[in-house]
């Protein structure tokens, strides 16, 4: 089965059209397998992307984050010498890899060591968006809202 019926989602959920569009685009675009990478869940709100970039130098890799996307690009510099390979198993070709980031996920650090690119990400939900308990028929709610607006 290669198609998704998203009609039930549209009938009962509001504001999830971005999710539906993301599912649709992932189905249409086959993710490239080069370069190989892992996505790790480090803790509840921390993630790590580890990408194997054999043959690349730190200066040939660029990481760009914009709103809800992360783009990693590798542009191999042209070699001055002509080589004759009997076997070429290290690809070392240009690449562009994109990742969609969930809301409030931000890149914290990136490191490149021994041909491995490691990108650390963290989800930081602002206090205003975290769940809070509402007291029924309590005057505390109004006072709390007034205090937040005054601050």
């Amino acid at each position: 089965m290669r198609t998704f019926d998203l009609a039930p989602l549209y009938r009962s959920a509001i504001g999830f059209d971005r999710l539906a569009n993301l599912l649709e685009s992932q189905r249409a675009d086959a993710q490239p397998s080069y370069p190989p990478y892992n996505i790790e869940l480090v803790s509840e709100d921390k993630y790590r992307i580890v990408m194997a970039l054999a043959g690349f130098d730190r200066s040939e890799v660029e990481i760009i984050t914009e709103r809800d996307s992360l783009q990693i690009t590798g542009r191999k510099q042209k070699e001055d010498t002509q080589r004759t390979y009997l076997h070429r198993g290290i690809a070392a070709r240009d690449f562009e890899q994109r990742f969609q980031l969930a809301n409030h996920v931000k890149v914290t650090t990136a490191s490149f060591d021994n041909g491995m690119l490691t990108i650390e990400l963290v989800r930081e939900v602002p206090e205003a968006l975290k769940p809070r308990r509402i007291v029924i028929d309590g005057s505390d709610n109004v006072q709390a809202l007034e205090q937040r607006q005054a601050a």
Side-chain angles (χ1 to χ4, degrees), residues 1-5 23-24 27-28:
M1 183 172 167
R2 297 234 177 229
T3 60
F4 299 105
D5 181 17
L23 288 172
E24 223 17 73
R27 186 181 64 80

Side-chain angles (χ1 to χ4, degrees), residues 57-110:
D57 186 59
R58 179 183 313 249
S59 63
E60 298 170 328
V61 179
E62 181 178 46
I63 303 169
I64 299 173
T65 181
E66 183 179 352
R67 290 195 308 164
D68 58 351
S69 70
L70 170 65
Q71 177 181 339
I72 305 164
T73 308
R75 300 280 179 246
K76 195 73 181 138
Q77 294 178 358
K78 303 297 180 204
E79 293 183 8
D80 295 337
T81 60
Q82 185 70 12
R83 296 182 186 203
T84 304
Y85 291 99
L86 299 178
H87 170 75
R88 187 167 186 177
I90 301 173
R93 61 182 181 263
D94 292 353
F95 70 90
E96 183 176 300
Q97 185 67 263
R98 294 179 182 266
F99 298 94
Q100 287 293 316
L101 303 178
N103 291 337
H104 313 295
V105 173
K106 296 180 178 25
V107 175
T108 57
T109 61

Side-chain angles (χ1 to χ4, degrees), residues 14-34:
I14 299 170
F16 286 90
D17 49 333
R18 181 173 170 262
L19 176 64
N21 291 339
L22 181 62
L23 288 172
E24 223 17 73
S25 69
Q26 290 300 322
R27 186 181 64 80
D29 300 336
Q31 286 290 339
S33 61
Y34 178 79

Side-chain angles (χ1 to χ4, degrees), residues 26 31-40 48-53 72 97-99 116-117:
Q26 290 300 322
Q31 286 290 339
S33 61
Y34 178 79
Y37 63 90
N38 294 334
I39 301 175
E40 302 174 29
R48 179 180 298 134
I49 299 172
V50 181
M51 191 173 282
L53 301 179
I72 305 164
Q97 185 67 263
R98 294 179 182 266
F99 298 94
M116 301 296 282
L117 175 66

